[in-house]
Amino acid sequence: MIADLVAAPDRQLEPLKTLAHVEFQLRVLGLLCAAAAGGPTELTTPGSLDRWSTYVKRQQGSLECDSCRASALVVADSINMEIAPGMSLRRMRNQVFHGGPDPQNVDLDTLHQVVEDNATRIVRIHEHGHATNLEPFFTLVRGEPAALQDYSSATATYWPRSGPATDISDQGTLDALQKLGLQGGDRMFESFAADIEKDLRGFAKPGSVQTLVDPPEPIAARWELRTSEGSVRRVDHFELDVDHARIWRSEAGPRPYKAFLAEICKWDLLKERLLEGLDEQVELEKKISDELFPDLKRHIPNVPAQVHIASGPFGEGRDVTITEACARISQQAGIYNACTNLITLTGEAGSGKTHSLLQFARESLSSGEDLSPLAVYISSSGASANSLDTLLDARMAPTRILDKRSVLALCRAGLVILVIDGFDELLGFRTYDNPLTGLKPILDELRGKGTVVLSARSSYSEARLLRSLTARDALAWPPYMTPLELLPWRPEQLRALTSQLPIEVDGTGTPQEIRQLLTTPFFCLAFVDWVRTEGSGEFMQFVVDTYLQRERRKMPGQGGNDLFSSEVLADIFSEVSELIARNVVPEISGEDFELAASLALGRDLNKEEKRRLVALCGLSAEWADDELAFKFTHLAIAEQFLARQIARLPLDQAVSLLFSVPISPLCAQLILSMWKSQGRGQPTELVMELQHKVSAAYASDAHLPGASLSLGALWAKVHGVGEGPRTGRCISVENLELSGSGQVTLVDARVQNLTVEPGVELLLASGRVERLDLSRSGASALLGDSYKHVRELLMHNELAVGRPSIKRALGLADEQSADDSDNHFKANITRARGPIIVKRDYAPDENSQLHWVSDYGLDTWQAFVRRMQKEGKISIEKVNASGRPKVRLRPTESFDA
């Protein structure tokens, strides 16, 4: 391993790289001396040429023979070898990296003799066996030996002989480094240098980046900028000001580091090219909408969409417009928060997620503000990429400026906000069980910085993502996750839409089953279109018929007869929706498409039907994995046909499908409407049979999030409103409103937002409710010890968080015990959505979500942390960040003991 690392480079290599190899040789020798010490060491990382030379001279005593100690001193002194007239190797390297001229009149023979002699001596020292174990100073990265460069509480960085440094997060390696008591140099300075080097790799010619860190001198970077005309050599210098702000020393004077990145990526040209690509996305979305609702969709931008922001850096659990929420995200993009801001935007199909994100991106690219962050919109729709890595490269290629590495560099610096629309449609997320698999490479590259917005059509993907993130040690750089929920449209938003059109809509005269659907722009547009036709026929049938009529116009048959009737097309789409739902993918193959059509027809397709089937515009064709894949052009349409399929199946088959496939609240509402329209009344028997099947599965400890979500969505629509006693078992639902009268009992339920209206009493036998709203019903509506299963309680204008506060709000406060507070803190630490980052005195930061810390008072919390640390149940790690000192609290294996 050591021989491979220090071997002399090819004599044809340019002098600068040979000079850099001398520093690498000294690093390897220094690490050998540290390993020979066999215990705590005074090694300072990451180190520089002079520091490694000094360290070797000071630490060579750990070698156990005079010959090896003498050889180590010779290698340490090799930096003073004269390799040009009046110019030592050390002086030449420092001159070059501080912006001086390239080496002239270098004695290449002498230079190469230095590295060859150094290599021989270092290998001889290693072979003497002074160090019995080279770990964790050296390791293998992708099968290649590498030497330690730096480490933190989250990762260790290792340099191979050639190529970029690699971060690893193996906990055993990190623990071993921690025990060695390595010394940090100027951490702020060295962290800045490491970020510069990582950022430059996104813009530089491969292998050209070299940096010099020698505080208090400015950081020097020599590199070659890639351009369309070739590469351009540059030397840039950077420093920290008195407030630790990162500064670029440009020819025009000191400027923010962001200005440097903006210059090398041609900021204004980049905005133009991103805007060109975005316009193509906008036109595509407009085309799809116009096919369904001609002359109507253009009025949507004048109706502000509302979102709910979870408590955190972007709000305090408030409802705001999507425009205001995006403005807050942009304002926070350049602020260091100790971890990547991961914002999940969820909403039902047709709720306007894509439209809102496209508008956010367009406004950011059109902004005249200097260096305000750009929202880079990346759609997964129709993407053939199988990961975010490859998708980023594919989407950035048309700019001819950025690739995956450079766009992530801009994201780390707060110049770009990555907006991934439809992340649950990516091939990398085809199994909802672990969406973190596709996100991990991107989050690790961001190294706890930057802002990423992910959209998904329901909270299911978000819940799976949150579960993955809360698993201990799931990520080297765990993000801070903030849910953003696109709220259902209210009646006033429908009125705002119709006020712009020459029609009148009387909401009070609209049947209840229709009013319940008018919560997304898609169905509101469909409703307006229906009203324009004077509301002939059933509304849902009108939506389906309108869609199918447009499909049939695309497929005329021979002799003036349509190839497929509307009913047959509806059956085909229903079969397709079931296949898509069962496979948990956004599209199906051509073979499965033909299978769905055959099932609908009850026979094999003829050649003409097979040939014309791919012309259906309701299912768009995209190339993926060398074959055509088909998907619905609008997710709301997919929801309709899935609901139709469930509503027309025999009861046992409908239950089986719901048990296997998670449905959304929108789909549940559509099932309810279609069940009634087919004369089957309320689907109470459907819910009852599904309840029995789910309860039996939970009794056998089966993990069925999909089944419980289907049950929760249907139970909320059927039994959320009712009279008399009702019981829900093993349901999972995001929003549940209980109205009517009687007692409602929830057993093993998982509810995000639960609202209790007057007339209803609630008993929580087990399970978990994130937020319970009793503001209209009062404390008497909560029975028994139900409060134990509630995380947040809203009472009139008071929001109580944590059990002590909730008991006080309910008038149940009693004397507090140490066990109560310990259990409270432990439970919240376990449920935390991100790392526990606090100030050095353990007080929460102003913008954190750690409100539960103050439930028992700050003194009680601080005493708890100190006691847990003393008992070895919590480790406290420094966080390398500008501003006020912060620490990370990490539970140990004995935390729950």
Side-chain angles (χ1 to χ4, degrees), residues 371-559:
L371 301 187
S372 59
L374 309 180
V376 176
Y377 176 87
I378 300 169
S379 173
S380 65
S381 178
S384 58
N386 58 7
S387 70
L388 275 179
D389 269 0
T390 51
L391 181 64
L392 284 175
D393 271 330
R395 293 299 193 224
M396 293 301 101
T399 68
R400 301 187 300 282
I401 296 175
L402 299 182
D403 58 14
K404 184 205 78 172
R405 291 183 302 175
S406 48
V407 77
L408 291 178
L410 298 180
C411 185
R412 283 194 298 269
L415 287 169
V416 154
I417 298 169
L418 282 181
V419 178
I420 314 294
D421 188 17
F423 84 100
D424 51 350
E425 296 182 50
L426 269 175
L427 303 189
F429 302 122
R430 277 183 169 173
T431 168
Y432 282 170
D433 286 341
N434 191 14
L436 189 59
T437 302
L439 278 176
K440 187 178 187 301
I442 299 301
L443 295 176
D444 285 350
E445 282 288 310
L446 290 175
R447 297 171 64 87
K449 298 174 184 175
T451 302
V452 179
V453 179
L454 301 173
S455 81
R457 63 173 172 169
S458 73
S459 62
Y460 186 35
S461 297
E462 177 193 86
R464 302 300 299 165
L465 177 61
L466 179 58
R467 180 180 175 186
S468 298
L469 291 174
T470 52
R472 287 185 187 169
D473 301 322
L475 284 175
W477 300 91
Y480 190 98
M481 185 171 163
T482 302
L484 211 68
E485 179 193 359
L486 201 56
L487 295 175
W489 266 25
R490 301 184 178 93
E492 53 265 30
Q493 287 170 296
L494 175 60
R495 288 193 292 269
L497 171 65
T498 56
S499 67
Q500 305 170 48
L501 302 167
I503 60 170
E504 291 188 9
V505 175
D506 181 10
T508 57
T510 306
Q512 174 66 18
E513 57 267 25
I514 295 179
R515 289 205 304 271
Q516 289 179 321
L517 290 172
L518 303 183
T519 59
T520 67
F522 175 86
F523 281 104
C524 286
L525 289 170
F527 179 67
V528 170
D529 209 14
W530 181 60
V531 171
R532 291 201 304 187
T533 64
E534 299 181 354
S536 57
E538 290 285 334
F539 171 60
M540 283 307 305
Q541 194 60 47
F542 167 81
V543 175
V544 173
D545 286 347
T546 302
Y547 182 77
L548 295 174
Q549 286 169 13
R550 292 190 174 108
E551 291 301 293
R552 291 175 61 196
R553 289 202 299 269
K554 303 284 183 173
M555 299 186 66
Q558 297 179 351

Side-chain angles (χ1 to χ4, degrees), residues 642-655 658 670-687 689 718:
L642 179 59
R644 181 182 183 275
Q645 182 77 339
I646 293 170
R648 73 192 186 113
L649 287 173
L651 182 64
D652 59 337
Q653 294 181 34
V655 171
L658 287 166
L670 292 168
I671 292 170
L672 185 66
S673 176
M674 293 180 182
W675 205 274
K676 291 179 180 178
S677 68
Q678 293 185 12
R680 302 175 74 171
Q682 283 275 95
T684 51
E685 189 178 5
L686 175 68
V687 177
E689 292 299 320
V718 175

